[in-house]
Amino acid sequence: MKKFIALIFIFSFFQTEFLFPQMQLDWVKIYNGTFSGGVDGAKAITLDKNSNSYVTGFSQISGNIFECVTIKYNLLSNIVWENHYQRSMNSTGFDIQIDDSGYIFVACGSILKYKESGELMWSKFDSVGYYKLILDSIGITYGGGIS
């Protein structure tokens, strides 16, 4: 069994090296929140049909309080919009999805829906802390989490 796993790992490594040698890093962004010395982190990323990047995660805003941060970057790595959401002491964006109409959904305990322009359309929450999203082809949002 150990030989089989090692062979899969070696094959995967060489397959990536030889099939995608043209891959390169285009840009890197480091997000620094407003709290001096605070901790910030990304938890999920997705792309829209125009290759804009959407990142969600968290930013420390004081002692042990965190807020969900969602950022849209364009192809040149410039911030198009940035949104902050906090419902409880520790709000973290865990998942992000974009539907066929361009609406952005974020799971951060609550479920958030943003317009493509970054405007918050609604936030939904109940006794479930939502951490994972799935969107179907007819516009229904499914959330999974902990109750």
Side-chain angles (χ1 to χ4, degrees):
M1 186 62 160
K2 289 181 183 179
K3 290 180 183 178
F4 180 69
I5 292 171
L7 289 175
I8 290 175
F9 173 75
I10 290 169
F11 176 73
S12 296
F13 174 76
F14 286 113
Q15 179 183 13
T16 303
E17 285 290 314
F18 294 115
L19 291 179
F20 305 107
Q22 73 281 4
M23 293 179 72
Q24 67 181 29
L25 182 63
D26 288 329
W27 53 269
V28 174
K29 280 293 199 182
I30 298 174
Y31 178 80
N32 289 311
T34 58
F35 184 58
S36 179
V39 178
D40 308 293
K43 292 285 189 175
I45 187 169
T46 192
L47 299 173
D48 67 13
K49 61 187 173 195
N50 298 316
S51 297
N52 294 302
S53 302
Y54 296 78
V55 180
T56 193
F58 61 90
S59 182
Q60 186 176 7
I61 57 173
S62 69
N64 62 349
I65 299 175
F66 295 82
E67 66 184 356
C68 172
V69 177
T70 304
I71 304 170
K72 177 181 179 178
Y73 295 97
N74 65 17
L75 280 170
L76 301 173
S77 79
N78 298 315
I79 294 176
V80 176
W81 53 257
E82 176 180 330
N83 282 315
H84 299 252
Y85 177 84
Q86 184 183 12
R87 183 173 161 267
S88 63
M89 283 183 55
N90 291 310
S91 295
T92 296
F94 288 99
D95 196 13
I96 189 165
Q97 301 285 327
I98 301 174
D99 71 8
D100 293 339
S101 300
Y103 294 113
I104 300 98
F105 295 84
V106 175
C108 62
S110 304
I111 296 179
L112 311 177
K113 181 178 181 180
Y114 292 103
K115 291 183 178 180
E116 194 172 0
S117 65
E119 179 185 342
L120 180 64
M121 294 180 66
W122 50 254
S123 64
K124 304 288 184 189
F125 57 89
D126 54 30
S127 62
V128 175
Y130 294 101
Y131 301 105
K132 185 66 181 160
L133 294 171
I134 296 175
L135 308 176
D136 70 11
S137 61
I138 59 171
I140 297 177
T141 305
Y142 299 90
I146 301 171
S147 61

